[in-house]
Amino acid sequence: MTLPILLDIEASGFGRGSYPIEVGLARSDGTTCAFLIQPIAEWTHWDPKAELLHGISRGRLQREGYPIIEVARWLNDELSEAGIAYSDSWGYDNTWLSLLFHHAGMLPRFRLEALRRLLSDTQLALWKRTKEALIEERGIRRHRAGEDARLLQLTYLRTLDSATCR
């Protein structure tokens, strides 16, 4: 079975002025990867509450983050063949993805869709409980882009299996 590609983005905060700081993928084969994003000069918004969630400091982004053009190229390289990735927070993630590509001076060669489009009513009913069980079982650290993308993919798979077995 080929799994859907899941994309997750961590950000400097929510709302006006926020920007992407980490992007992660769970590939169709179940492997994951993530990159920290070096903020450009005009990206100044920083919400300490968001930092408490993801644990990534602005200083770390400056030191370890990749330039936005490299991250945009990497995303296009990873996703252009499949042409699509899914997000559980489409409204936020699509906004931050658009911001990333705009400032990189590039167009994405894939589209981002809402994960909800893939889920049956049965999967939706099982989603929250299944996701919480997976976090507990696997000791998943939340609010890091790669791990969150994989958690979504695993939740999708387990709810699909549960929905099929009914």
mmCIF file of all heavy atoms in Angstrom, residues 159-166:
data_model
loop_
_atom_site.group_PDB
_atom_site.id
_atom_site.type_symbol
_atom_site.label_atom_id
_atom_site.label_comp_id
_atom_site.label_asym_id
_atom_site.label_seq_id
_atom_site.Cartn_x
_atom_site.Cartn_y
_atom_site.Cartn_z
ATOM 1 N N THR A 159 -6.373 4.231 11.330
ATOM 2 C CA THR A 159 -7.829 4.452 11.220
ATOM 3 C C THR A 159 -8.373 3.798 9.951
ATOM 4 O O THR A 159 -9.495 3.332 9.941
ATOM 5 C CB THR A 159 -8.203 5.953 11.243
ATOM 6 O OG1 THR A 159 -7.559 6.636 10.163
ATOM 7 C CG2 THR A 159 -7.853 6.591 12.571
ATOM 8 N N LEU A 160 -7.569 3.751 8.921
ATOM 9 C CA LEU A 160 -7.981 3.079 7.678
ATOM 10 C C LEU A 160 -8.159 1.581 7.942
ATOM 11 O O LEU A 160 -9.144 0.982 7.540
ATOM 12 C CB LEU A 160 -6.958 3.308 6.572
ATOM 13 C CG LEU A 160 -7.285 2.741 5.204
ATOM 14 C CD1 LEU A 160 -8.506 3.423 4.614
ATOM 15 C CD2 LEU A 160 -6.086 2.897 4.276
ATOM 16 N N ASP A 161 -7.179 1.003 8.657
ATOM 17 C CA ASP A 161 -7.258 -0.427 8.994
ATOM 18 C C ASP A 161 -8.489 -0.698 9.864
ATOM 19 O O ASP A 161 -9.201 -1.673 9.653
ATOM 20 C CB ASP A 161 -6.003 -0.878 9.739
ATOM 21 C CG ASP A 161 -4.782 -0.964 8.843
ATOM 22 O OD1 ASP A 161 -4.951 -0.931 7.604
ATOM 23 O OD2 ASP A 161 -3.653 -1.035 9.370
ATOM 24 N N SER A 162 -8.727 0.171 10.844
ATOM 25 C CA SER A 162 -9.883 -0.007 11.738
ATOM 26 C C SER A 162 -11.188 0.140 10.978
ATOM 27 O O SER A 162 -12.142 -0.603 11.214
ATOM 28 C CB SER A 162 -9.835 1.009 12.878
ATOM 29 O OG SER A 162 -8.716 0.781 13.693
ATOM 30 N N ALA A 163 -11.234 1.099 10.062
ATOM 31 C CA ALA A 163 -12.460 1.324 9.277
ATOM 32 C C ALA A 163 -12.718 0.145 8.347
ATOM 33 O O ALA A 163 -13.871 -0.239 8.122
ATOM 34 C CB ALA A 163 -12.333 2.626 8.474
ATOM 35 N N THR A 164 -11.663 -0.454 7.827
ATOM 36 C CA THR A 164 -11.795 -1.593 6.912
ATOM 37 C C THR A 164 -12.230 -2.849 7.646
ATOM 38 O O THR A 164 -12.939 -3.681 7.092
ATOM 39 C CB THR A 164 -10.437 -1.838 6.196
ATOM 40 O OG1 THR A 164 -10.016 -0.626 5.607
ATOM 41 C CG2 THR A 164 -10.573 -2.888 5.122
ATOM 42 N N CYS A 165 -11.810 -2.990 8.910
ATOM 43 C CA CYS A 165 -12.100 -4.194 9.680
ATOM 44 C C CYS A 165 -13.516 -4.200 10.257
ATOM 45 O O CYS A 165 -13.937 -5.181 10.823
ATOM 46 C CB CYS A 165 -11.095 -4.340 10.826
ATOM 47 S SG CYS A 165 -9.431 -4.684 10.239
ATOM 48 N N ARG A 166 -14.235 -3.117 10.160
ATOM 49 C CA ARG A 166 -15.574 -3.046 10.749
ATOM 50 C C ARG A 166 -16.591 -3.775 9.930
ATOM 51 O O ARG A 166 -16.597 -3.903 8.794
ATOM 52 C CB ARG A 166 -16.000 -1.593 10.933
ATOM 53 C CG ARG A 166 -15.206 -0.990 12.043
ATOM 54 C CD ARG A 166 -15.675 0.415 12.298
ATOM 55 N NE ARG A 166 -15.079 0.794 13.569
ATOM 56 C CZ ARG A 166 -15.654 1.558 14.436
ATOM 57 N NH1 ARG A 166 -16.808 2.087 14.204
ATOM 58 N NH2 ARG A 166 -15.075 1.849 15.572
#
